């Protein structure tokens, strides 16, 4: 049955998919992250490369941030799989293509993609249309975050809270209230011992340099215009304190500098992630 025309992918999820694909076209190798399947899912118009938010030079730091956070998460998942973790939860999954790109890891995991019902129904249809299907190990968990308990929906999809898991939440916290972020931290901290949360957060705009502030204002304007404004910002020590208060056993901060050292050392094209979005890594 066709999905209604009013149902579509979130614009931010499409932009992330297009930036991943653009990396393979405009940036030099070695590539930080390889993903052209998201482009196939999004199926943009032929002129997508001419969109203002695809301009290679001005959007490079934001594109690099998307690439490095995706690479970091997948490296973390691969590491945890080797330690016996067999559940992976993506909060706000968007057009993530982990299951389709990394069958070597996905076949050792049950992957739970949590997202809004409309965009997820659209993605389900696109996976079927493109022949990828919905494998047994992929659980699409539709959640209306305004009215549903994502925790309850996750359990009903087969998630076992008594077994360790990796939970990833990237590019989400800035759209949620402080109360919602705090509640999410508390819920995830109750997972089985050995579980890991990898969550990105956005630092206050005044803590980044002038050129990045201009990029931030552009990004924040676009978010407001689309009805999804950025509303939550944290200093690193603040998010670490919230994680500890929520009950996590350990919590540490991963800075863009760490990601640059790990994934961008030796590059000659100047591609580097911006400072605005950073990582909280917390373990139960």
């Amino acid at each position: 049955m066709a999905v209604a025309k009013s149902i579509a992918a979130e614009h931010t999820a499409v932009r992330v998919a297009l930036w991943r694909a653009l990396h393979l076209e405009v940036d030099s190798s070695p590539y930080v992250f390889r993903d052209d399947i998201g482009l196939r899912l999004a199926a943009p118009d032929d002129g997508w490369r001419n969109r203002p938010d695809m301009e290679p030079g001005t959007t490079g730091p934001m594109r690099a941030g998307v690439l490095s956070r995706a690479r970091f998460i997948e490296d973390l998942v691969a590491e945890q799989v080797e330690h016996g973790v067999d559940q992976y939860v993506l909060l706000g999954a968007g057009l993530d293509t982990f299951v389709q790109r990394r069958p070597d890891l996905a076949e050792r995991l049950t992957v739970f993609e949590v997202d809004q019902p409309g965009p997820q129904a659209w993605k389900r249809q696109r996976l079927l249309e493109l022949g990828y299907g919905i494998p047994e190990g992929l659980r699409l968990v539709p959640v209306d975050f305004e009215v549903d308990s994502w925790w309850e929906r996750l359990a009903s999809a087969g998630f076992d809270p008594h077994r360790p898991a990796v939970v990833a939440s990237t590019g989400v916290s800035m759209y949620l209230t402080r109360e919602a972020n705090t509640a999410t931290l508390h819920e995830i901290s109750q997972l089985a011992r050995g579980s890991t949360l990898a969550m990105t957060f956005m630092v206050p705009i005044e803590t980044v340099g002038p050129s990045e502030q201009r990029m931030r204002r552009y990004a924040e304007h676009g978010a407001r215009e689309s009805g999804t404004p950025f509303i939550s910002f944290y200093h690193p020590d603040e998010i670490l304190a919230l994680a500890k208060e929520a009950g996590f056993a350990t919590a540490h901060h991963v800075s863009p500098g760490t990601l640059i050292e790990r994934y961008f050392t030796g590059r000659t094209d100047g591609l580097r992630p911006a400072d605005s979005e950073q990582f909280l890594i917390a373990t139960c």
Side-chain angles (χ1 to χ4, degrees):
M1 176 168 38
V3 175
K5 290 182 179 180
S6 60
I7 297 175
E10 292 280 357
H11 78 281
T12 51
V14 170
R15 183 169 60 220
V16 166
L18 299 188
W19 274 344
R20 289 182 176 188
L22 192 67
H23 176 52
L24 303 178
E25 297 187 10
V26 303
D27 298 322
S28 61
S29 62
Y31 299 115
V32 177
F33 192 79
R34 292 177 176 269
D35 179 16
D36 57 4
I37 295 177
L39 177 63
R40 297 187 66 200
L41 287 173
D45 295 336
D46 291 340
W48 69 269
R49 295 170 184 82
N50 298 320
R51 290 170 37 159
D53 57 358
M54 293 296 122
E55 203 289 317
T58 57
T59 64
M62 292 183 287
R63 185 172 72 254
V66 163
L67 298 167
S68 59
R69 79 188 190 193
R71 174 69 179 275
F72 181 82
I73 291 290
E74 290 201 8
D75 286 352
L76 174 65
V77 171
E79 173 188 288
Q80 292 301 305
V81 165
E82 293 304 316
H83 293 159
V85 174
D86 63 359
Q87 298 185 109
Y88 175 29
V89 180
L90 295 90
L91 297 179
L95 296 183
D96 190 87
T97 58
F98 171 80
V99 170
Q100 294 75 40
R101 289 179 298 98
R102 296 297 307 269
D104 57 316
L105 292 175
E107 66 185 10
R108 302 168 66 182
L109 291 160
T110 303
V111 180
F112 301 86
E113 294 193 7
V114 180
D115 214 340
Q116 296 283 350
Q120 191 171 85
W122 181 89
K123 181 179 181 181
R124 176 188 290 274
Q125 179 170 305
R126 290 296 296 147
L127 288 171
L128 295 173
E129 289 173 347
L130 293 172
Y132 291 109
I134 312 295
E136 173 61 26
L138 173 59
R139 311 290 171 83
L140 300 180
V141 186
V143 175
D144 183 337
F145 292 98
E146 296 296 325
V147 298
D148 297 329
S149 166
W150 68 268
W151 188 257
E152 291 177 1
R153 290 296 181 93
L154 194 60
S156 67
F159 180 79
D160 184 352
H162 304 296
R163 299 206 320 273
V166 175
V167 180
S169 176
T170 60
V172 174
S173 67
M174 68 281 285
Y175 298 109
L176 303 179
T177 64
R178 177 174 292 263
E179 292 75 18
N181 282 318
T182 299
T184 298
L185 288 172
H186 276 278
E187 289 172 323
I188 297 173
S189 72
Q190 304 307 307
L191 289 178
R193 184 175 180 179
S195 295
T196 304
L197 166 67
M199 184 182 91
T200 60
F201 63 95
M202 189 164 282
V203 298
I205 192 170
E206 64 271 13
T207 67
V208 302
S211 62
E212 187 166 338
Q213 286 188 21
R214 288 192 292 272
M215 283 193 303
R216 276 279 295 274
R217 292 189 184 98
Y218 171 78
E220 293 189 23
H221 173 75
R224 284 193 302 273
E225 289 294 304
S226 65
T228 54
F230 296 171
I231 56 178
S232 290
F233 311 96
Y234 301 93
H235 292 279
D237 57 351
E238 186 179 11
I239 199 75
L240 290 174
L242 288 176
K244 290 293 185 68
E245 291 170 8
F248 284 98
T250 69
H252 69 275
H253 163 235
V254 177
S255 69
T258 298
L259 299 179
I260 290 170
E261 182 178 359
R262 183 177 296 189
Y263 302 125
F264 296 87
T265 298
R267 293 192 67 89
T268 59
D269 58 4
L271 187 67
R272 298 289 187 277
D275 291 327
S276 286
E277 197 171 25
Q278 307 190 14
F279 263 108
L280 163 69
I281 306 298
T283 61
C284 299

